[in-house]
Structure formats: structure tokens, C-alpha cells
Amino acid sequence: MVDFAPMDISTAKEFLARHHWGVLTTRRKDGSLQMSPVTVGIYPDGRAIISSRETAYKVNNLRRDPRAAVCVFTTEFHGEGWVQINGNAEILSLPEAMDTLVYLERQAKGENRDWPSFHERMAREKRVIIRIRIDDVGPKRRG
């Protein structure tokens, strides 16, 4: 059995720098929850970053209610390999989002072989960056 240590914000940020599979939870108009599988990264300023499309439900939900939760996990999924982050999100649209989209691509997937095509695809898909301030993390304890 692996010893359990409560998660803190700095440990969660280190985890996000290495693991990029997650599920984002936002709130619909009626208050019910909406979940989306996402690729997550961590920006140098300490905020979690996620790429999405301008017209996605999660983006509309966050513009209306910025509260967000993201569960990020390892490729093994089960066990000690996950963290939950909670905080308020903001949406960064193009063209301002492009540098962060490039940063996330490099962090999550490595160097792109064709950056001009990447830039064109981001513009065509009307990509945005969701930036989440990490206010709280878990798990705090095993139960």
C-alpha cells in the first residue's frame, strides 16, 4: 500500500505539469453539472490551462458562472494518480489566446511538426484558453 499524503496546491501544480488527462466540471444555466474530457496543463503563472472552442457548452457555462472543478489523472487512472483542482475560470479568446495554446500544445504533446498549420487550425476552430486559478485541491484525505 502506498502512503497517502494530503494534496497541497504546489504538489497539484507539479502533477499537472506531468499529467494532462482530465475531466472539467462546469454548471449549466439550471445549476446542473456538465462534464467534459479535456487536456490540462499548467501555465508558469500557476493557473491550469485548457483548450476549447469558442462555442463549446463548457465555455458558455464558465462565462456565466466561472466556478470550475477539474479532476486530472494519470494514464493508469486508478490508485494514487489523480488530483482535483477547484477555482474560478476565465476565458481567453484569439488572438490573445494563441501563445498559451502553443504553450499547452508543447507541454501536453511536445513540439508540433507544423506550427503554421497548428496556428491555422486554432483560428479555424475558434479556439480559446480556459484559465483556472487554483484555489483549492484534493484529495485532502483518503476515505
Side-chain angles (χ1 to χ4, degrees):
M1 178 180 237
V2 176
D3 287 332
F4 178 77
M7 184 65 61
D8 62 25
I9 290 176
S10 64
T11 305
K13 288 177 181 179
E14 290 172 14
F15 188 89
L16 267 65
R18 295 185 320 272
H19 305 287
H20 306 291
W21 293 3
V23 177
L24 171 67
T25 303
T26 63
R27 294 187 183 274
R28 295 182 179 106
K29 275 185 192 178
D30 67 4
S32 64
L33 300 177
Q34 188 262 332
M35 300 173 83
S36 302
V38 293
T39 300
V40 185
I42 188 79
Y43 204 64
D45 68 4
R47 288 183 283 187
I49 52 175
I50 298 167
S51 171
S52 187
R53 290 171 288 97
E54 190 78 48
T55 57
Y57 286 116
K58 60 184 156 281
V59 171
N60 293 328
N61 291 343
L62 289 168
R63 283 195 165 122
R64 186 179 47 260
D65 182 343
R67 294 176 294 169
V70 184
C71 181
V72 181
F73 39 87
T74 66
T75 56
E76 290 81 30
F77 185 70
H78 292 288
E80 304 301 320
W82 67 277
V83 63
Q84 178 179 330
I85 63 166
N86 307 299
N88 284 340
E90 66 179 347
I91 309 302
L92 185 62
S93 297
L94 290 172
E96 293 80 16
M98 189 59 77
D99 288 344
T100 308
L101 289 163
V102 168
Y103 185 88
L104 177 59
E105 176 79 359
R106 282 185 170 133
Q107 188 177 75
K109 298 178 182 172
E111 273 306 310
N112 190 300
R113 292 180 183 207
D114 187 355
W115 285 113
S117 292
F118 174 85
H119 285 83
E120 290 171 13
R121 183 169 51 89
M122 295 298 103
R124 184 176 61 252
E125 294 176 2
K126 298 180 180 165
R127 287 276 161 179
V128 300
I129 282 289
I130 300 168
R131 293 191 295 204
I132 303 171
R133 186 184 68 231
I134 302 175
D135 295 329
D136 187 44
V137 299
K140 299 289 188 199
R141 61 185 176 157
R142 184 182 301 213

